[in-house]
Amino acid sequence: MNTESDIEVGAEALRKAMVDQLRGMGAVRSDAVADALLAVPRHLFGPGESLEKAYAAKGTLLTKWNDEGEAVSTVSAPHIQAMMLEQAEIEPGMRVLEVGSSGYNAALVAELVGPEGEVTTVDIDSEVVERARACLAAAGYHGVHVLEVDAENGVPQHAPFDRIIVTAGAWDLPQSWWEQLTEGGRIIVPLLMRSLTRSVAFERVGDHLVSRGYELCAFVPMQGIGSHSEMSIPLHGDDVILRLDDNPSVDVDRLREVLAQPRAEAWSGVTMSGEGRFDGLQLWMAIALPGFGLLMATKEAQTKGIVAHAWPIGVPAVAVDGSLAYLGLRPVADDPSAREFGVYGHGPDADQLMERVLERIRSWDGESLSAQIHAYPATTPDEELPQGGLVLDKKHTRIVVSWS
């Protein structure tokens, strides 16, 4: 039987191995974030999980599910938490608000701000809040403020904040976050833009926010006042679902039957090496193609030939009226590790829709993370926005995505 001492020795070794792996992945770049990860006993925030799972660099710990069996609270994977902490560039003495509380990330932030700083973590779910409090206490982090709050209104009693770190998928940026952020402060937020989620590091510059970089990520959605539901259209029962955002102009009834129509395909001539990233292409498509969304399909649907292929995070797709086109990849004959981008289409206007997608693919320069993202108050007139970008109008903000 393992003693408490044996467990701690094993956990310490696994923490070190986890940080080494995160450095190798590029998720950890600074000594400060590495030291925080080495200091916090992550296994105490996942009671009942094995030490190996608690310290898996890409291991998400699921802590609560809803009645439909969907995860509504998690301890995010270390590589995601490390990446967001690096984006935040937290310094000793800062005041930090965390939206969405697992306890673990708040402990990491507490290590980064030190004894002169202040950490407030909030969640709308009372069970999640109590769990975070208990885990933080067990790990010895008694100075963190843990509150049951709907984050839509921020936490004025502990503001202003130098950093706000959001650990739930957000469709919008509430005005309270802007008002409670210091000038030059940062908001790190998994922002939903036409069904794509990116962890954006926003810096406050006067009356607006400017991105200082963004990364690919996935999070459980925001709950409470700030929750948002995308349009989900079943195309083949629960095996294939089309997710669309921003009130697209589609004929839902016709789309439900679109996969029963013949499938066409076309190829772009644009290729990517086996080591390449193309999440930039997804955003490049999203900002220019009306009706952009994600095609969510099971592996069984792919095996049966209902769809040409499927990815866990969804395949970029475009729907207009009753036609559908979605991204494809195929091996390159003279380089098996490379892939060529193409498009599959269904519906009466599939050929035209596919050609529009191909044109966008061919115009991509291959840069993955070069878009600029600005956020302005919802009342900002068009002439005061950056020109030449896609404007996403939300309740509180106008998000402008442009490509230099």
Side-chain angles (χ1 to χ4, degrees), residues 31-343:
D31 289 342
V33 171
D35 289 345
L37 289 161
L38 287 170
V40 179
R42 190 171 191 261
H43 63 284
L44 297 184
F45 296 86
E49 300 288 2
S50 67
L51 289 180
E52 289 73 18
K53 186 171 182 179
Y55 292 105
K58 290 190 174 183
T60 299
L61 305 180
L62 306 180
T63 57
K64 186 173 180 179
W65 297 260
N66 62 18
D67 292 338
E68 287 72 45
E70 301 168 327
V72 295
S73 181
T74 68
V75 180
S76 298
H79 78 287
I80 294 293
Q81 291 172 308
M83 174 265 291
M84 294 181 75
L85 292 175
E86 294 286 8
Q87 287 183 299
E89 298 183 359
I90 296 170
E91 298 177 2
M94 283 186 168
R95 300 164 68 93
V96 180
L97 170 64
E98 180 193 34
V99 175
S101 185
S102 69
Y104 176 65
N105 196 62
L108 294 173
V109 175
E111 290 286 341
L112 291 168
V113 302
E116 301 303 317
E118 183 175 301
V119 181
T120 301
T121 182
V122 304
D123 202 283
I124 195 173
D125 189 315
S126 59
E127 292 182 14
V128 172
V129 169
E130 288 305 315
R131 184 182 183 281
R133 283 179 180 151
C135 291
L136 283 163
Y141 293 91
H142 302 285
V144 175
H145 304 296
V146 187
L147 305 176
E148 183 181 339
V149 169
D150 189 319
E152 184 81 359
N153 299 314
V155 188
Q157 65 269 36
H158 291 289
F161 300 106
D162 300 293
R163 299 289 187 266
I164 298 176
I165 302 177
V166 184
T167 61
W171 184 78
D172 201 358
L173 306 174
Q175 193 64 33
S176 64
W177 297 357
W178 301 53
E179 295 169 350
Q180 294 171 26
L181 187 69
T182 60
E183 176 66 22
R186 288 194 174 194
I187 298 177
I188 314 302
V189 56
L191 185 64
L192 187 68
M193 299 172 287
R194 284 199 167 163
S195 298
L196 299 178
T197 303
R198 298 292 184 268
S199 175
V200 185
F202 281 116
E203 185 172 305
R204 181 177 175 181
V205 180
D207 66 345
H208 66 286
L209 304 174
V210 179
S211 67
R212 301 305 185 198
Y214 60 90
E215 298 285 351
L216 184 67
C217 67
F219 278 85
V220 296
M222 188 76 69
Q223 300 180 56
I225 298 173
S227 64
H228 172 75
S229 296
E230 296 179 281
M231 179 185 292
S232 295
I233 306 172
L235 303 186
H236 194 275
D238 292 333
D239 287 334
V240 185
I241 294 174
L242 180 64
R243 286 173 38 198
L244 299 171
D245 198 5
D246 296 330
N247 301 313
S249 174
V250 296
D251 187 324
V252 174
D253 291 334
R254 291 169 65 194
L255 276 177
R256 292 182 192 277
E257 306 299 326
V258 73
L259 293 181
Q261 301 180 47
R263 181 166 70 214
E265 62 182 84
W267 298 91
S268 66
V270 178
T271 61
M272 177 189 68
S273 70
E275 300 297 320
R277 288 179 56 177
F278 62 97
D279 47 291
L281 173 60
Q282 298 176 46
L283 194 58
W284 180 248
M285 293 169 62
I287 66 174
L289 296 172
F292 181 91
L294 292 177
L295 188 69
M296 313 298 294
T298 63
K299 280 295 183 183
E300 184 179 8
Q302 180 181 354
T303 301
K304 291 180 177 179
I306 299 166
V307 296
H309 64 120
W311 297 327
I313 61 173
V315 177
V318 179
V320 176
D321 296 325
S323 296
L324 173 72
Y326 61 97
L327 190 67
L329 285 170
R330 69 178 181 183
V332 176
D334 57 354
D335 184 358
S337 69
R339 295 291 184 270
E340 179 185 5
F341 294 107
V343 61

